Amino acid sequence: MHTTARLRRLLLFPFQGAGRPVSFLVTGVLVQLGVLFVVSLLWLLFVPVLDPAGQLPVAVFVAFTAIVLAGPLLTEVQRGRFRTRLDVAIPSPYAGQRPRLPKWLRSRAGHRQLRYHLLDGPLLALAGFFTLLAWVVAVTATSIYLWIRLVPLDWRVDHPGYYTWAAYVTAAGLALLHIARLSTDALSRLDTRTATVLLGPSREEQLARRVEDLTESRTGLVDAVDAERRRIERDLHDGAQQRLVSLAVNLGLAKATLQDLPEDARQVIDEAHREAKDAIEELSGLVRGLHPAVLEDRGLDAALSGIAARAPIPVRVKVDVPSRPSPTIEAVAYFVVSEALTNVVKHAEASRAEVTVERFGKTLLVVISDDGVGGAEPTGGTGLAGLAKRVASVDGTLSVDSPVGGPTVITVELPCVP
């Protein structure tokens, strides 16, 4: 029983799942035959006209030119063959764009594709042709007993030994069937690996595309976080803060009008009034820390001027930005200046500070300087490491020049796409 099952599996192995790889080889051969037909047609049309005497060099030139000009089309045809026959998607090295022929010829991807169309593809198609021929021979040999039925009966009677050599032919056909199937699978895998390397993006191009995708994803995430921060700021400013202001006003009115209350009640109202005002002040600071409304409404100049006005030391602000950058870049510049001035007040022992914001082409330059004691380092726990991470989140750079004894200069460069 087990022997019969194994024998059945052995006999059926060449045909199980062979349809797609065999059709893959067939289409590969047909594509190369189509190219050969077009090249032959061009040869017949142009070679006698261009060079009736010495035809070989001109023929080679015509064939090469035809394949080069048809290179992008052949690439799409081959990608379609892999996609439809083997479910193998070979991505384009041009990120979905179709370059013009001159650019394609100058690119490394174009050179790789030409190598496939001129060398690897024809050789693989030739190997596929012989593999398909092996299939035909193997199937014919395996079914030799059916073909013998077409031979006249008189010949079979006169040659009674045909059963013996027919059995040998059948056994050879079965062996060739297995060889053809293994060759088909091996050739399909080889063609897939070759086409993936030559028709698709190289390893460097894949890494570069991955970096671009990650950069776009990170930019989208940063923008989404900034938009969510602005939404929270608006909700707090228009909701909770207004409620606290209303509460503080009502408590103030109660404190001013209800003069006949007991002293204990008046003290409770007075304490609640002070707590409400303190809560408003803390909430205002929290709102400014999330995303100041003045930054969104009036831009960097007004927002940074507000920071300078609240600072306990004189801060000179100069903003020269002809056109506003994106909200994300504005927010990063604002928080960098805010945190840097907070560090100046806490650690620098400075008597004054200066903030300069200028735009040079696609770069927003932010410089914060002070006349403090210096010695600031990004790894010194002064908040500079956090600033560096915030700047790096938008592909910006931060540098610190802070010798011991001062002064300290923080320079930030932010990408600013118009």
Side-chain angles (χ1 to χ4, degrees), residues 125-271:
L126 183 62
F129 172 77
F130 285 112
T131 302
L132 293 174
L133 184 61
W135 274 101
V136 174
V137 173
V139 171
T140 303
T142 305
S143 57
I144 188 65
Y145 281 105
L146 297 178
W147 298 106
I148 289 177
R149 294 295 179 182
L150 300 178
V151 177
L153 181 61
D154 296 341
W155 183 92
R156 283 181 283 164
V157 172
D158 295 338
H159 300 80
Y162 75 90
Y163 276 102
T164 302
W165 61 261
Y168 292 143
V169 171
T170 302
L174 290 174
L176 187 58
L177 272 178
H178 285 74
I179 295 174
R181 174 58 193 275
L182 295 175
S183 299
T184 299
D185 293 341
L187 195 58
S188 299
R189 290 193 297 268
L190 178 60
D191 201 352
T192 300
R193 287 196 296 267
T194 304
T196 301
V197 173
L198 298 181
L199 299 183
S202 64
R203 179 64 176 171
E204 292 78 9
E205 292 167 343
Q206 290 178 358
L207 291 176
R209 187 178 301 177
R210 180 61 175 164
V211 169
E212 291 178 1
D213 293 341
L214 291 176
T215 301
E216 292 179 1
S217 299
R218 185 189 62 184
T219 301
L221 179 61
V222 171
D223 292 341
V225 170
D226 186 65
E228 183 66 14
R229 186 166 52 239
R230 292 198 300 271
R231 184 191 66 79
I232 295 174
E233 180 273 330
R234 288 193 301 268
D235 291 345
L236 290 177
H237 182 272
D238 298 336
Q241 191 173 19
Q242 296 302 319
R243 286 177 173 270
L244 285 175
V245 170
S246 178
L247 175 61
V249 170
N250 291 333
L251 290 174
L253 289 174
K255 178 182 175 182
T257 56
L258 301 177
Q259 299 292 337
D260 55 346
L261 291 177
E263 185 63 24
D264 292 342
R266 289 180 57 80
Q267 289 181 358
V268 170
I269 294 176
D270 186 55
E271 182 67 23

Side-chain angles (χ1 to χ4, degrees), residues 298-317:
R298 299 175 58 189
L300 271 175
D301 196 354
L304 298 183
S305 298
I307 295 177
R310 293 189 298 270
I313 62 174
V315 178
R316 180 175 176 268
V317 177

Side-chain angles (χ1 to χ4, degrees), residues 26-374:
V26 171
T27 53
V29 172
L30 291 177
V31 168
Q32 297 302 325
L33 288 178
V35 173
L36 183 61
F37 173 77
V38 173
V39 170
S40 302
L41 183 62
L42 293 176
W43 188 346
L44 294 175
L45 291 176
F46 292 103
V47 172
V49 178
L50 295 175
D51 192 0
Q55 296 185 2
L56 183 59
V58 177
V60 173
F61 173 77
V62 170
F64 178 80
T65 303
I67 294 177
V68 168
L69 294 178
L73 177 61
L74 288 175
T75 300
E76 293 302 321
V77 170
Q78 292 289 1
R79 287 202 189 102
R81 181 170 73 99
F82 282 94
R83 183 174 58 254
T84 57
R85 301 303 174 184
L86 297 181
D87 284 335
V88 175
I90 300 178
S92 171
Y94 304 105
Q97 302 176 353
R98 289 189 176 182
R100 296 183 180 274
L101 186 61
K103 181 180 178 181
W104 180 79
L105 289 175
R106 291 192 301 267
S107 65
R108 293 184 178 180
H111 297 166
R112 294 195 306 269
Q113 293 171 18
L114 279 178
R115 173 187 161 183
Y116 183 87
H117 300 316
L118 291 170
L119 180 63
D120 296 79
L123 290 178
L124 289 167
L126 183 62
F129 172 77
F130 285 112
T131 302
L132 293 174
L133 184 61
W135 274 101
V136 174
V137 173
V139 171
T140 303
T142 305
S143 57
I144 188 65
Y145 281 105
L146 297 178
W147 298 106
I148 289 177
R149 294 295 179 182
L150 300 178
V151 177
L153 181 61
D154 296 341
W155 183 92
R156 283 181 283 164
V157 172
D158 295 338
H159 300 80
Y162 75 90
Y163 276 102
T164 302
W165 61 261
Y168 292 143
V169 171
T170 302
L174 290 174
L176 187 58
L177 272 178
H178 285 74
I179 295 174
R181 174 58 193 275
L182 295 175
S183 299
T184 299
D185 293 341
L187 195 58
S188 299
R189 290 193 297 268
L190 178 60
D191 201 352
T192 300
R193 287 196 296 267
T194 304
T196 301
V197 173
L198 298 181
L199 299 183
S202 64
R203 179 64 176 171
E204 292 78 9
E205 292 167 343
Q206 290 178 358
L207 291 176
R209 187 178 301 177
R210 180 61 175 164
V211 169
E212 291 178 1
D213 293 341
L214 291 176
T215 301
E216 292 179 1
S217 299
R218 185 189 62 184
T219 301
L221 179 61
V222 171
D223 292 341
V225 170
D226 186 65
E228 183 66 14
R229 186 166 52 239
R230 292 198 300 271
R231 184 191 66 79
I232 295 174
E233 180 273 330
R234 288 193 301 268
D235 291 345
L236 290 177
H237 182 272
D238 298 336
Q241 191 173 19
Q242 296 302 319
R243 286 177 173 270
L244 285 175
V245 170
S246 178
L247 175 61
V249 170
N250 291 333
L251 290 174
L253 289 174
K255 178 182 175 182
T257 56
L258 301 177
Q259 299 292 337
D260 55 346
L261 291 177
E263 185 63 24
D264 292 342
R266 289 180 57 80
Q267 289 181 358
V268 170
I269 294 176
D270 186 55
E271 182 67 23
H273 189 215
R274 285 197 303 271
E275 291 289 340
K277 290 193 292 184
D278 291 342
I280 292 172
E281 185 175 354
E282 291 181 6
L283 187 58
S284 298
L286 176 61
V287 168
R288 285 194 299 271
L290 286 173
H291 190 88
V294 67
L295 176 62
E296 187 169 354
D297 296 337
R298 299 175 58 189
L300 271 175
D301 196 354
L304 298 183
S305 298
I307 295 177
R310 293 189 298 270
I313 62 174
V315 178
R316 180 175 176 268
V317 177
K318 178 186 176 183
V319 178
D320 183 12
V321 182
S323 59
R324 293 184 63 174
S326 66
T328 302
I329 299 298
E330 276 191 338
V332 172
Y334 172 86
F335 287 115
V336 165
V337 173
S338 177
E339 183 65 24
L341 290 180
T342 301
N343 289 339
V344 169
V345 173
K346 289 182 178 180
H347 308 289
E349 301 178 14
S351 60
R352 61 183 178 83
E354 183 174 348
V355 177
T356 303
V357 181
E358 295 178 288
R359 181 168 179 173
F360 299 96
K362 295 183 179 180
T363 301
L364 187 70
L365 181 66
V366 182
V367 180
I368 307 104
S369 59
D370 65 79
D371 61 352
V373 297

